[in-house]
Amino acid sequence: MSREPTPEESGIYEQSMEAVAQILYSDETHSKVMTILQSGAQDPSKALASAASIILLQLKERSKGQLTPEILQGVLKELMMLLGELATESGAFEVNQDVMMRALQQCMSVVGTQQGEEAPAQPQGQPQAQAQAPMPEGQGGLISGAMG
């Protein structure tokens, strides 16, 4: 970001990171993510990008338009580091800076988090059901999901 985030943006970012953790560690999503990571040894950056896309699409759906491209980029970077740790800890593959940068670029093009872009509701060629994965019960919007 070229400027300091506002208190509101900082709050949305924190809530977004809490929601990312809830999404990632929900039973359904966690098993999908771990399957993707476990099968990603041939192309680790693609595996990281695919796993992150699943989570970010759910986050964007929950956020109901509150996430700016800058907030999404920050969330994506944190999420990639978290997924990299999961991949390494599970023995799926090692993540280095090159793998991380390629994964970030791939995911940003899929999820539409690049600066100034209008975020698409869904990546092209993806089945509708994937973007509309059910939310864990009791999870309303981003804020109520992070707070509840």
Side-chain angles (χ1 to χ4, degrees):
M1 285 187 231
S2 59
R3 61 173 175 76
E4 288 294 314
T6 65
E8 181 182 10
E9 289 170 331
S10 294
I12 292 171
Y13 175 82
E14 291 299 321
Q15 291 170 345
S16 297
M17 289 309 303
E18 290 176 22
V20 161
Q22 290 174 354
I23 293 166
L24 174 58
Y25 293 108
S26 69
D27 291 337
E28 178 185 347
T29 304
H30 190 70
S31 63
K32 282 182 193 176
V33 165
M34 293 310 295
T35 299
I36 290 169
L37 294 178
Q38 291 293 331
S39 63
Q42 294 297 320
D43 191 350
S45 60
K46 182 178 179 183
L48 286 174
S50 296
S53 294
I54 289 171
I55 295 164
L56 286 180
L57 288 170
Q58 290 183 49
L59 178 66
K60 285 176 72 172
E61 188 176 300
R62 284 186 184 191
S63 74
K64 300 183 185 346
Q66 291 181 358
L67 302 178
T68 65
E70 293 87 0
I71 293 172
L72 273 174
Q73 284 179 3
V75 168
L76 176 58
K77 288 176 186 174
E78 291 281 331
L79 175 57
M80 284 291 180
M81 290 192 302
L82 180 60
L83 292 173
E85 289 174 14
L86 285 174
T88 300
E89 289 172 5
S90 70
F93 51 83
E94 293 289 322
V95 178
N96 59 34
Q97 187 173 357
D98 184 51
V99 167
M100 189 69 68
M101 292 307 294
R102 284 184 291 154
L104 282 166
Q105 290 171 342
Q106 291 174 27
C107 191
M108 285 191 293
S109 68
V110 169
V111 183
T113 57
Q114 293 179 347
Q115 183 80 14
E117 279 188 6
E118 190 69 27
Q122 152 131 13
Q124 292 179 325
Q126 292 291 321
Q128 187 72 8
Q130 185 178 11
Q132 294 185 352
M135 288 189 268
E137 54 185 76
Q139 305 295 320
L142 171 68
I143 295 172
S144 65
M147 304 304 269

